[in-house]
Amino acid sequence: MILSSKALDIKPSSTLAITAKAKQMKADGIDVVGFGAGEPDFDTPDHIKEAAIKAMNEGFTKYTPASGILPLKEAICKKLQDDNNVSYKPNQIVVSNGAKHSLTNTFMAILNPSDEVIIPGPFWLSYVQMVKIADGVPVVVKASKENNYKVTIDELKKALTDKTKAILINSPSNPTGMIYTEEELRAIADFAVSNDLFVVADEIYEKLIYGDEKHVSIASFNEEIYKRTIIINGVSKTYAMTGWRIGYAAAPAEIAKIMGNVQSHASSNPNSLAQKAALAAISGSQECVDVMKTEFNKRRNYMYDRISKMSYISAIKPQGAFYLFVDLADVLGKTYNNEVIEDANVFAKLLLDNESVAVVPCTDFGYNTHFRLSYAIAMENIEKGLDRIERFLENLK
Ligand SMILES: *Cc1c(COP(=O)(O)O)cnc(C)c1O
């Protein structure tokens, strides 16, 4: 039988694969340090769990409206107004099974076959596959380290064709932790408006910012860019709720409507109890976010300082999210136990096999000269893992 060539072209998520391998090694009794985590290590705060328990006990266990319950949509609208200075009505909000689902819905809603989506690299690996799922063509634009891994308008212009339909912006970024300044975003907004493009703004890490930088929503600048922007956000990263699967999109009403239509047939509503939990997260006290942020920040500072002192590798200090994007260009060509390190994949494999440290090689993020470390793991593991990486590097020839 011939299977779908489109589906066969979709790559599995390598971050999930590495995390799974590290977990398996751990289960086998090996003392692994896993830096692969793409999720907070904290437990979901109690008041959020209690909202779900209450909903369950009250029998809130049936289908809800396919695009989400009204109180949650209203809370999201209020949040967008208060935090991001953008006005939305509930009919512009679609609540889905995680921001991943919101992104896939978005591409399904805006793309026709062979439409191109500009994805600045380094990029979160799922974007490329999601665009393909929606019959679009991902066009990767690699940003340079010199510009803090952020794309410039000149680089975007070079990627522009008459097929370009949208540009994706992820700030703070996974994997770099970089944040686009307001000025940079305004230039991207002008570029999108003057070339008639949509902007898909993945703002999932907006609350995890550690320095003085401020998150700005690109949709907030003016009516023109507002009409072209689809904001993607969710509760996974901010509230340590990755398993609950609640994300959302905020979009012009026409787009939200067709996203809701697609979702109503593909999956119907996201889990009813998780919607109540997300409502508690978004509308409740935000103190829990500060507690987690303070801890992330300590780890970020420690990790950055340690990596900066190591031979052959370097990183730019991340401003947000919970990752360090590490440049290993100077490691390439060196050998470990007579094996040549050709790229980040070989590096990651040797590190896992010899030092039981799992890192994410960024080949699938568009950079085979870099790897990603997550600091969403306990400090003692960070210390242990960095000791091992240091030892590994000292053994290079
Ligand atoms: C984790 C992540 C998401 C999606 O998270 P969900 O759990 O699906 O809500 C989206 N974008 C980026 C950049 C992420 O790192």
Side-chain angles (χ1 to χ4, degrees), residues 98-100 124 127 170 174 202 204-205 236-237 245:
K100 261 188 180 171
W124 180 50
Y127 297 135
N170 172 215
N174 174 3
D202 183 347
I204 194 113
Y205 292 105
S236 284
K237 309 293 161 64
R245 310 310 303 133

Side-chain angles (χ1 to χ4, degrees), residues 2-150:
I2 297 171
L3 302 180
S4 153
S5 45
K6 180 168 95 179
L8 288 168
D9 192 36
I10 305 302
K11 280 198 182 183
S13 168
S14 62
T15 47
L16 295 182
I18 284 157
T19 313
K21 185 171 178 194
K23 269 187 190 154
Q24 183 57 50
M25 286 171 73
K26 235 176 242 170
D28 294 343
I30 300 169
D31 176 25
V32 178
V33 178
F35 283 110
E39 59 182 344
D41 53 320
F42 307 111
D43 196 12
T44 302
D46 283 341
H47 73 282
I48 298 173
K49 290 197 276 192
E50 274 151 22
I53 293 166
K54 181 162 175 280
M56 188 187 286
N57 287 335
E58 286 172 354
F60 194 71
T61 54
K62 301 287 181 358
Y63 288 135
T64 76
S67 60
I69 55 175
L70 186 60
L72 177 54
K73 290 185 183 184
E74 285 169 343
I76 291 167
C77 291
K78 182 173 187 310
K79 176 252 171 275
L80 288 165
Q81 186 70 65
D82 295 350
D83 294 352
N84 310 107
N85 195 28
V86 278
S87 294
Y88 287 93
K89 297 202 172 66
N91 68 340
Q92 295 178 273
I93 308 297
V94 181
V95 183
S96 302
N97 297 296
K100 261 188 180 171
H101 189 200
S102 306
L103 283 158
T104 311
N105 280 341
T106 299
F107 294 127
M108 300 250 221
I110 65 174
L111 298 182
N112 281 307
S114 80
D115 280 352
E116 296 175 0
V117 179
I118 296 179
I119 301 174
F123 51 85
W124 180 50
L125 72 182
S126 290
Y127 297 135
V128 165
Q129 309 303 327
M130 289 164 167
V131 167
K132 293 197 302 194
I133 288 172
D135 288 323
V137 178
V139 174
V140 171
V141 176
K142 278 184 83 164
S144 67
K145 188 178 184 182
E146 290 66 45
N147 199 43
N148 294 333
Y149 302 110
K150 295 191 277 190

Side-chain angles (χ1 to χ4, degrees), residues 102-363:
S102 306
L103 283 158
T104 311
N105 280 341
T106 299
F107 294 127
M108 300 250 221
I110 65 174
L111 298 182
N112 281 307
S114 80
D115 280 352
E116 296 175 0
V117 179
I118 296 179
I119 301 174
F123 51 85
W124 180 50
L125 72 182
S126 290
Y127 297 135
V128 165
Q129 309 303 327
M130 289 164 167
V131 167
K132 293 197 302 194
I133 288 172
D135 288 323
V137 178
V139 174
V140 171
V141 176
K142 278 184 83 164
S144 67
K145 188 178 184 182
E146 290 66 45
N147 199 43
N148 294 333
Y149 302 110
K150 295 191 277 190
V151 277
T152 63
I153 299 300
D154 278 345
E155 287 162 343
L156 291 176
K157 275 186 186 152
K158 281 186 200 138
L160 196 66
T161 74
D162 55 4
K163 294 270 188 203
T164 310
K165 187 68 168 280
I167 166 166
L168 189 134
I169 296 296
N170 172 215
S171 175
S173 155
N174 174 3
T176 67
M178 295 299 138
I179 297 170
Y180 282 85
T181 64
E182 175 169 351
E183 197 186 352
E184 289 164 340
L185 282 178
R186 281 191 185 273
I188 291 171
D190 291 345
F191 173 81
V193 171
S194 57
N195 292 291
D196 199 19
L197 307 178
F198 286 113
V199 172
V200 180
D202 183 347
E203 304 188 344
I204 194 113
Y205 292 105
E206 63 161 340
K207 302 270 188 191
L208 299 178
I209 293 180
Y210 308 105
D212 297 331
E213 294 81 15
K214 267 194 61 185
H215 171 78
V216 182
S217 281
I218 193 167
S220 69
F221 295 148
N222 57 57
E223 188 57 25
E224 277 303 307
I225 190 65
Y226 174 84
K227 284 192 305 198
R228 298 169 179 285
T229 303
I230 297 115
I231 294 180
I232 304 292
N233 209 327
V235 295
S236 284
K237 309 293 161 64
T238 308
Y239 304 100
M241 290 178 70
T242 43
W244 297 77
R245 310 310 303 133
I246 297 291
Y248 58 86
E254 188 188 2
I255 297 177
K257 183 160 187 275
I258 59 177
M259 287 172 69
N261 291 347
V262 170
Q263 178 165 305
S264 74
H265 295 292
S267 58
S268 282
N269 61 276
N271 180 291
S272 60
L273 307 172
Q275 289 189 67
K276 288 283 193 174
L279 174 57
I282 291 170
S283 56
S285 162
Q286 301 299 298
E287 212 183 290
C288 55
V289 182
D290 290 331
V291 173
M292 292 189 266
K293 216 173 86 167
T294 303
E295 183 60 28
F296 280 141
N297 191 25
K298 268 189 227 154
R299 301 173 186 175
R300 172 187 77 125
N301 289 330
Y302 175 78
M303 196 181 248
Y304 173 74
D305 288 344
R306 289 281 313 265
I307 292 288
S308 299
K309 288 185 191 123
M310 291 186 198
S311 319
Y312 312 124
I313 61 175
S314 65
I316 296 175
K317 192 166 190 178
Q319 302 165 307
F322 39 67
Y323 310 102
L324 209 70
F325 188 59
V326 186
D327 183 350
L328 52 73
D330 291 343
V331 169
L332 304 186
K334 298 201 176 300
T335 59
Y336 185 91
N337 281 349
N338 295 324
E339 201 164 333
V340 182
I341 300 178
E342 289 162 350
D343 60 18
N345 292 5
V346 177
F347 176 84
K349 187 182 176 297
L350 288 171
L351 192 60
L352 187 57
D353 291 347
N354 293 283
E355 289 287 0
S356 302
V357 172
V359 303
V360 176
C362 287
T363 311

